[in-house]
Amino acid sequence: MAVNTSPENPLPVGDVSRLIGGWIDRLGAVWVEGQITQLSRRPGAGVVFLTLRDPSYDISVSVTCYRQVFDAVADVVSEGARVVVHAKPEWYAPRGQLSLRAAEIKPVGVGELLARLEQLKKSLAAEGLFAADRKKPLPFLPQLIGLVCGRASAAERDVLENARHRWPAVRFEVRNVAVQGVHAVPQVVQAVKELDELPEVDVIVVARGGGSVEDLLPFSDETLVRAVSACRTPVVSAIGHEPDNPLLDHVADLRASTPTDAAKKVVPDVGEEYERVRWLRDRARRTVGAFVDREERGLAQTLARPVIEDPHRMIDERADHVGGLVDRSRRTLDHLLDRAGSELTHTHARVVALSPAATLRRGYAVLQRADGHVVRTPDDVTADEELRARVADGEFTVRVESEPTHRVDA
């Protein structure tokens, strides 16, 4: 509950410590799970001191218990073991220190750990963290590889030596961390995040040698799994040996059975690539040579065609035909012209025979009045009227002497 204080009415340190102790006493006994990091069993002492640490966080608490409580599990519990403790929180007011007084300690068995991991695996899989479509492809030839491993470990040596043997020019950015124990998870998570933030790092390898189920537990921690899932850089898991299968293998973009296998999968072999380049070059040379040969044969066949060997042959072959067509056209045209000329002559003769001039040459005359009208009947003229008579060779004037009379045909 809240306490009313002010700068003018502060609480003494002792009162604050006693208040905190009272609040803690009301918490009662609780079951706590953690990993033993420090264990002190002094000969002859009736109390055992140990430190219980949360493997996923940098948090620990001191635990005390009577010797008979610890002796019940002393054969199966040591530093690094996971335990469940039934303890009551205690506040040591003179020093302002919190601790747990353990009344019972139970080791966490391998079977129970595996059951918890299986439950966590199902939960993370349901979230989609292990989905195949989340996997990022590894670059063909990474320029800089981030390596997270134990200091001077066999895993580090295997990755570095094998990778440089396969591709001597490869470079590494190494982060040495604890790979087991209570400090492993935070250090590995921090190293992965640091490497992921470096834009020049193309791929990250998390490597560790083999070990027991308890030794490999940090690589199944939920915090580490989620940190790897959030990486933008492809991550390769190379934990333990082939049978080992921590949760990191499922969330990583690629699983390697061993650190050596990781080196083989991350960088190509320079000898193999040289051989592949040589094979591709030979294949390209053969392909180009076959193409050139095929085109040369096609060109030779084209040049062997008669029309290419003697381009004027077709023209010469067609020249006689064209000449015959021209002669035939000329003959046809001459025939048409001759026939048209004959018809024109006959037509001209008929026109001339039927023309007024021909009629006049036969002795006929055309009489016209002064206004130019042709006299057609006797009624068209009057007595003493002058008419113009037109004959074949000219014209002259005539006069009508008497009234014209009508001729009656019998």
Side-chain angles (χ1 to χ4, degrees):
M1 56 185 174
V3 178
N4 293 324
T5 60
S6 67
E8 293 77 18
N9 187 27
L11 285 177
V13 173
D15 292 346
V16 172
S17 182
R18 283 192 296 272
L19 287 172
I20 294 174
W23 295 332
I24 292 176
D25 285 340
R26 287 195 292 271
L27 179 62
V30 292
W31 285 98
V32 182
E33 180 183 352
Q35 187 175 21
I36 298 176
T37 57
Q38 294 180 353
L39 178 61
S40 176
R41 301 175 63 190
R42 297 176 182 176
V47 178
V48 177
F49 298 90
L50 53 93
T51 299
L52 203 61
R53 186 182 184 88
D54 190 326
S56 300
Y57 302 95
D58 191 15
I59 300 176
S60 60
V61 64
S62 298
V63 180
T64 60
C65 66
Y66 292 114
R67 176 176 288 275
Q68 57 267 29
V69 173
F70 187 82
D71 287 345
V73 294
D75 294 338
V76 292
V77 169
S78 60
E79 287 191 8
R82 288 200 179 212
V83 294
V84 176
V85 177
H86 189 237
K88 185 179 184 305
E90 292 184 345
W91 180 258
Y92 186 61
R95 294 184 181 178
Q97 183 176 358
L98 175 68
S99 64
L100 298 176
R101 171 70 67 172
E104 184 179 0
I105 300 175
K106 291 185 176 182
V108 178
V110 174
E112 186 175 355
L113 288 175
L114 293 178
R116 293 182 184 179
L117 290 181
E118 186 63 25
Q119 185 63 32
L120 178 60
K121 177 181 176 181
K122 293 180 179 179
S123 175
L124 296 176
E127 293 184 31
L129 267 63
F130 303 157
D133 56 1
R134 292 174 58 92
K135 308 295 184 183
K136 296 177 285 294
L138 269 62
F140 167 70
L141 180 59
Q143 300 300 310
L144 182 63
I145 300 174
L147 176 60
V148 180
C149 58
R151 184 180 303 277
S153 62
E156 178 181 8
R157 183 179 64 256
D158 290 345
V159 173
L160 296 180
E161 291 182 357
N162 283 279
R164 287 168 178 162
H165 176 73
R166 291 172 63 84
W167 198 273
V170 69
R171 296 182 297 118
F172 282 89
E173 183 73 21
V174 181
R175 293 290 185 273
N176 293 123
V177 297
V179 292
Q180 69 182 57
V182 295
H183 301 289
V185 172
Q187 290 186 15
V188 173
V189 170
Q190 180 64 26
V192 169
K193 289 182 177 179
E194 288 180 3
L195 293 174
D196 186 50
E197 292 174 356
L198 297 177
E200 59 272 20
V201 173
D202 298 318
V203 63
I204 300 172
V205 178
V206 182
R208 186 203 189 282
S212 64
V213 174
E214 293 85 351
D215 292 339
L216 300 182
L217 280 178
F219 299 97
S220 293
D221 188 86
E222 182 177 359
T223 304
L224 175 58
V225 170
R226 294 190 181 277
V228 171
S229 175
C231 286
R232 63 169 183 82
T233 309
V235 178
V236 177
S237 173
I239 306 301
H241 302 297
E242 181 66 35
D244 299 320
N245 193 21
L247 296 186
L248 181 62
D249 288 349
H250 298 279
V251 74
D253 299 291
L254 179 67
R255 176 188 182 268
S257 58
T258 62
T260 300
D261 183 51
K264 294 179 179 180
K265 290 182 176 180
V266 170
V267 294
D269 183 83
V270 64
E272 293 177 359
E273 295 306 315
Y274 177 79
E275 183 64 23
R276 183 177 291 108
V277 170
R278 186 191 64 79
W279 179 79
L280 290 174
R281 184 175 56 196
D282 293 342
R283 180 182 176 185
R285 183 181 293 110
R286 291 192 301 270
T287 302
V288 173
F291 174 78
V292 172
D293 293 341
R294 185 172 63 252
E295 295 302 313
E296 286 181 345
R297 289 193 300 270
L299 181 60
Q301 293 174 359
T302 301
L303 293 176
R305 293 179 180 178
V307 69
I308 300 298
E309 290 183 341
D310 186 7
H312 297 284
R313 179 178 179 179
M314 183 180 294
I315 298 177
D316 295 340
E317 290 177 350
R318 297 292 181 178
D320 296 339
H321 180 65
V322 172
L325 292 176
V326 170
D327 293 340
R328 180 181 175 183
S329 300
R330 286 175 177 172
R331 290 193 300 270
T332 301
L333 183 59
D334 290 342
H335 176 69
L336 293 175
L337 290 176
D338 292 342
R339 186 170 64 185
S342 177
E343 291 179 355
L344 181 60
T345 301
H346 294 153
T347 302
H348 180 267
R350 288 196 299 271
V351 170
V352 171
L354 298 175
S355 67
T359 303
L360 293 178
R361 281 195 295 272
R362 290 198 299 269
Y364 292 93
V366 178
L367 298 178
Q368 293 177 303
R369 300 180 67 182
D371 57 4
H373 286 81
V374 176
V375 177
R376 301 181 184 278
T377 65
D379 294 336
D380 290 338
V381 298
T382 58
D384 294 329
E385 183 180 359
E386 286 189 355
L387 301 175
R388 189 170 63 249
R390 183 177 179 184
V391 295
D393 294 332
E395 60 182 27
F396 53 88
T397 303
V398 298
R399 183 181 297 278
V400 180
E401 293 182 353
S402 61
E403 290 292 332
T405 61
H406 293 279
R407 190 185 73 175
V408 180
D409 296 330

